[in-house]
Amino acid sequence: MKKKLIIFDLDGVLINSLSNMEFALNQTSKNLKLKLNFKLYKKYLGLPFKDIMKRMRIKNKNINLIKEKYEMYSTKKINKIKIKRKHIDILKKL
């Protein structure tokens, strides 16, 4: 039977990107002179970025800039994302 759709949970299942997220948030925090706590950020993972920032009590006017910087730093250290070795063959097939 030919499959039309495959749905799976990527982060935490096939890959681990926590170190990348922590790096990006810490660099963003330093760059914008904010106190962005990764432990608190991690607590809300799964929510959209803007919702996480709101729960962390970050003002609305800063959220777009924070997201822009976070994405930039995340891209710079994309190599920090680890693919779980046992899932490499599955990812190749997909």
Side-chain angles (χ1 to χ4, degrees):
M1 182 167 155
K2 191 173 181 180
K3 306 290 185 221
K4 291 183 180 183
L5 175 69
I6 298 173
I7 299 173
F8 56 92
D9 186 0
L10 183 67
D11 205 359
V13 176
L14 298 177
I15 66 168
N16 184 346
S17 64
L18 283 175
S19 62
N20 179 273
M21 287 187 245
E22 186 171 15
F23 169 81
L25 195 73
N26 289 339
Q27 290 302 116
T28 300
S29 185
K30 287 177 191 175
N31 182 272
L32 298 176
K33 296 177 177 56
L34 297 171
K35 292 184 180 183
L36 301 173
N37 182 304
F38 183 72
K39 193 173 183 179
L40 185 57
Y41 178 85
K42 187 177 166 185
K43 178 180 175 181
Y44 298 116
L45 282 177
L47 295 174
F49 188 85
K50 290 182 179 188
D51 291 342
I52 294 173
M53 292 294 109
K54 288 177 184 175
R55 296 217 179 179
M56 292 175 65
R57 304 196 191 290
I58 304 299
K59 295 177 184 173
N60 272 339
K61 63 181 178 179
N62 294 333
I63 293 175
N64 289 332
L65 178 60
I66 293 168
K67 185 176 185 201
E68 180 184 312
K69 293 289 184 182
Y70 177 87
E71 289 172 353
M72 180 197 66
Y73 286 117
S74 180
T75 301
K76 279 188 174 186
K77 294 292 183 172
I78 201 84
N79 63 326
K80 287 188 170 283
I81 295 176
K82 304 294 183 208
I83 298 173
K84 293 188 176 184
R85 200 172 201 91
K86 65 183 180 180
H87 299 304
I88 290 175
D89 287 338
I90 293 169
L91 290 172
K92 285 180 182 177
K93 285 179 185 178
L94 294 174

